[in-house]
Amino acid sequence: MADDDVAEGNQDGREPGRRFEGRVALVTGASRGIGLAIARRVVAEGGRVVITGRDAGTLDEAVAGLGPDRALGVAGKADDAAHRAAAIARTVERFGRLDHLVNNAGINPAYGPLAQVETGVARKILEVNVIAALEWTREAVAAGGLRSVVNMASLAGTTSATNIGFYGVSKAALINLTVQLADELAPATRVNALAPAVVRTKLARALYEGREEEAARAYPLRRLGEPDDVAGPAAFLLSDDAAWVTGQTLLVDGGASVRAAW
Ligand SMILES: NC(=O)c1ccc[n+]([C@@H]2O[C@H](COP(=O)([O-])OP(=O)(O)OC[C@H]3O[C@@H](n4cnc5c(N)ncnc54)[C@H](OP(=O)(O)O)[C@@H]3O)[C@@H](O)[C@H]2O)c1
């Protein structure tokens, strides 16, 4: 192959390390934790970002850290239709476009075996973790020009998971939603998912606090995840580097899934 045949950088000429130049991403549930790490990555690679979360104060602090010229916060609940409409409208109003969506907001208010999960709580988990992801995606597509979606699933959606079983059920549904949407939205929009194991954030505290070293031993890579461990794979799947990848769920799990329990 002649040197001239080798494409430089990304397909559309963006420099390596500037994959989001001229692009706009909306990341739900991004005032802290994994979502904020993804938002930082998009901004670091030249993009602009809209982040959401329920608490306006935490969201404002996150926007200040990202740089108010490159970030916008819209406070609200991921499963609130009026909030979704406002967030998407303000994204287009402020930045003129919406290229990438990360359905990252997720909840786990139930802890214990399935026998103890209240039906109302189970419904709420499905509402936020699954239905809202479908709604955000449909509404973002309707805004026009959406190139890619990343859904934040979980390793718990691929196995049984002690004490967080119904959360796992919701994440399994999100994985299949990813497959289905990938097929239906192609070729205009790619849809992929990430399935992290335990990442050191507020949401997962109950799974490791006070027993971090012991918890880390379950991982061939010998540590729990950090939000940045998920942000890199998310940026890859959102970007044109993954232009021929859709409908996939990438396990980001320190190797946990390759080790047999016995
Ligand atoms: N940490 C892990 O071990 C792990 C593993 C696998 C998958 N995940 C998934 O990763 C995603 C992010 O979790 P995280 O660990 O980064 O949690 P986190 O640190 O607790 O952050 C959650 C973020 O989402 C916002 N949020 C929570 N509920 C929301 C709602 N109903 N509507 C809108 N925003 C909401 C929070 O802000 P407010 O509280 O102000 O709303 C916060 O910004 C979730 O989908 C989670 O299921 C996490």
Side-chain angles (χ1 to χ4, degrees):
M1 198 190 313
D3 275 358
D4 287 354
D5 294 334
V6 181
E8 281 181 26
N10 289 332
Q11 282 179 337
D12 53 1
R14 283 177 178 74
E15 297 287 323
R18 303 289 292 174
R19 291 179 292 184
F20 298 104
E21 196 87 62
R23 298 271 177 86
V24 177
L26 194 162
V27 188
T28 67
S31 58
R32 60 170 188 268
I34 293 170
L36 180 56
I38 294 169
R40 283 201 193 102
R41 185 66 66 109
V42 168
V43 168
E45 292 205 35
R48 287 164 298 170
V49 78
V50 177
I51 61 173
T52 75
R54 291 166 301 180
D55 182 72
T58 320
L59 201 58
D60 286 347
E61 282 171 31
V63 168
L66 290 163
D69 53 328
R70 306 209 67 85
L72 170 71
V74 183
K77 296 180 182 172
D79 58 333
D80 173 350
H83 163 64
R84 284 194 299 271
I88 290 174
R90 289 187 61 195
T91 301
V92 175
E93 194 181 284
R94 168 82 187 270
F95 295 130
R97 55 195 290 151
L98 175 54
D99 302 280
H100 311 289
L101 171 68
V102 185
N103 286 310
N104 176 71
I107 58 167
N108 182 29
Y111 194 79
L114 288 183
Q116 288 170 14
V117 177
E118 288 170 33
T119 306
V121 173
R123 282 210 180 92
K124 182 70 179 177
I125 293 173
L126 289 179
E127 200 63 54
V128 176
N129 294 4
V130 185
I131 311 284
L134 170 63
E135 302 284 14
W136 278 103
T137 306
R138 290 203 285 223
E139 290 161 33
V141 165
L146 192 72
R147 302 173 71 97
S148 64
V149 178
V150 167
N151 291 324
M152 199 55 66
S154 169
L155 190 61
T158 69
T159 64
S160 74
T162 309
N163 290 327
I164 55 169
F166 199 79
Y167 168 82
V169 169
S170 75
K171 295 299 190 177
L174 187 59
I175 289 170
N176 195 259
L177 183 72
T178 300
V179 169
Q180 190 64 33
L181 285 171
D183 195 7
E184 293 188 16
L185 298 181
T189 307
R190 295 180 301 100
V191 186
N192 291 290
L194 292 172
V198 174
V199 179
R200 292 195 321 126
T201 68
K202 189 173 175 189
L203 179 95
R205 270 190 320 211
L207 301 176
Y208 65 83
E209 230 167 36
R211 53 179 293 273
E212 211 169 304
E213 270 184 37
E214 181 200 338
R217 278 199 287 275
Y219 296 82
L221 294 181
R222 297 283 192 281
R223 63 176 176 85
L224 301 179
E226 300 295 337
D228 271 338
D229 290 320
V230 184
F236 162 67
L237 289 174
L238 286 177
S239 79
D240 293 351
D241 279 349
W244 211 44
V245 180
T246 197
Q248 303 305 304
T249 295
L250 177 59
L251 273 53
V252 184
D253 67 352
S257 57
V258 304
R259 177 175 284 175
W262 43 271

